Amino acid sequence: MSGILIYTEDEAKRNAFAINKFAENLDIKLVDECYKGNADFVINRTNNYKISEYFENRGIRVFNPADLSRLANNKQNCYDFMQSNGIPIMPIRYDKVPCVKKPVDGHGGQGVVMLNHNEKHREDFVYQKPCDTLGKDLRIWLIGGKIITAILRESETDFRSNFCLGGKASVYTLSSEEKQLVNRINSLIKSDYIGMDFLFHQNRLVFNEIEDTVGARMVYSQTDIDIIALYCNYIKRELKK
């Protein structure tokens, strides 16, 4: 079966390694977000759920599904969803300082600031109480709902611990309680290949976000796991169903 791999032009330039990995393991063609042609399957590596929706409406299998992409790429909706299902999050719509201000559709820590003064809340931002352990978070990779690995990110210079912003990374062993939390969240969603990010607060994990187009740089730099090959094998199995 022949598929398409969708990246924006800018993201394609940044992700040459991943694109080559996909091409090594699948019969696939790289296209941009404007592509409207035919395909047996689609891997959507943009943050735009409407792209996934377009192909799903044509009966084409999309990895990840549109519903997941829609949820993951709106922080306010994602926090509301998790909170309504009893998943621990840091309080949102927070009106005290200090407070963490995040773009609703932001990724990679871009545009996230620590507010130390009051300001009028805007609908395109999420305002959230800071956790008690700044500069430290956890990313967990899942394929088909199965936990693949977890990596701790830490920064000594920034309250944001993102690897792309200079944070340190190390492999993390999940406790049974932490695995239960991840599996509980996974039971609420349908996904193919995602990252789940967690903060540390009062010595426990607190949900932070779902990465719909999760990167793999930390996995390749910190482990011997060929995670994109694993994802491609999962896609092949799904297409045979």
Side-chain angles (χ1 to χ4, degrees), residues 51-111:
I51 291 174
S52 297
E53 204 170 57
Y54 169 78
F55 287 101
E56 285 178 354
N57 287 338
R58 293 172 57 189
I60 297 171
R61 176 67 159 95
V62 182
F63 303 83
N64 284 303
D67 284 348
L68 184 282
S69 183
R70 183 189 294 108
L71 179 69
N73 292 295
N74 185 304
K75 285 184 171 59
Q76 187 68 66
N77 290 346
C78 193
Y79 285 138
D80 287 341
F81 174 81
M82 294 299 170
Q83 190 172 44
S84 69
N85 283 283
I87 303 300
I89 64 169
M90 297 307 298
I92 52 177
R93 300 181 178 87
Y94 193 67
D95 58 2
K96 299 178 182 178
V97 293
C99 137
V100 180
K101 177 183 177 183
K102 305 176 181 180
V104 164
D105 59 353
H107 293 275
Q110 297 299 321

Side-chain angles (χ1 to χ4, degrees), residues 94-210:
Y94 193 67
D95 58 2
K96 299 178 182 178
V97 293
C99 137
V100 180
K101 177 183 177 183
K102 305 176 181 180
V104 164
D105 59 353
H107 293 275
Q110 297 299 321
V112 178
V113 297
M114 184 72 74
L115 280 183
N116 291 301
H117 62 275
N118 290 313
E119 70 172 29
K120 184 178 179 181
H121 285 199
R122 293 168 45 180
E123 290 186 0
D124 53 342
F125 284 88
V126 173
Y127 298 82
Q128 191 170 34
K129 180 180 179 179
C131 63
D132 63 9
T133 310
L134 299 176
K136 178 180 176 181
D137 77 348
L138 184 68
R139 171 162 292 175
I140 302 168
W141 282 260
L142 297 93
I143 296 177
K146 178 184 176 182
I147 296 172
I148 304 300
T149 191
I151 292 182
L152 180 69
R153 304 183 293 190
E154 299 176 276
S155 174
E156 296 176 355
T157 59
D158 198 322
F159 77 95
R160 301 168 299 174
S161 54
N162 303 72
F163 191 58
C164 61
L165 299 178
K168 298 186 299 182
S170 57
V171 176
Y172 182 93
T173 301
L174 294 166
S175 68
S176 59
E177 182 181 353
E178 290 167 340
K179 288 179 182 177
Q180 287 176 4
L181 175 60
V182 174
N183 290 330
R184 187 174 156 207
I185 295 170
N186 184 63
S187 72
L188 301 171
I189 60 177
K190 182 181 179 182
S191 68
D192 297 304
Y193 174 50
I194 59 170
M196 282 188 199
D197 290 354
F198 294 86
L199 303 173
F200 290 87
H201 185 69
Q202 297 179 350
N203 297 315
R204 65 170 185 162
L205 294 185
V206 176
F207 174 83
N208 191 37
E209 63 182 327
I210 294 172

Side-chain angles (χ1 to χ4, degrees), residues 14-52:
R14 292 182 60 246
N15 288 279
F17 174 82
I19 291 167
N20 289 334
K21 276 286 182 183
F22 279 114
E24 287 173 9
N25 289 279
L26 293 169
D27 179 5
I28 202 159
K29 177 175 71 173
L30 176 66
V31 300
D32 65 23
E33 67 270 34
C34 297
Y35 182 82
K36 300 295 183 183
N38 293 322
D40 294 319
F41 65 94
V42 174
I43 303 175
N44 182 14
R45 296 291 293 169
T46 78
N47 295 317
N48 186 352
Y49 76 87
K50 292 183 179 179
I51 291 174
S52 297

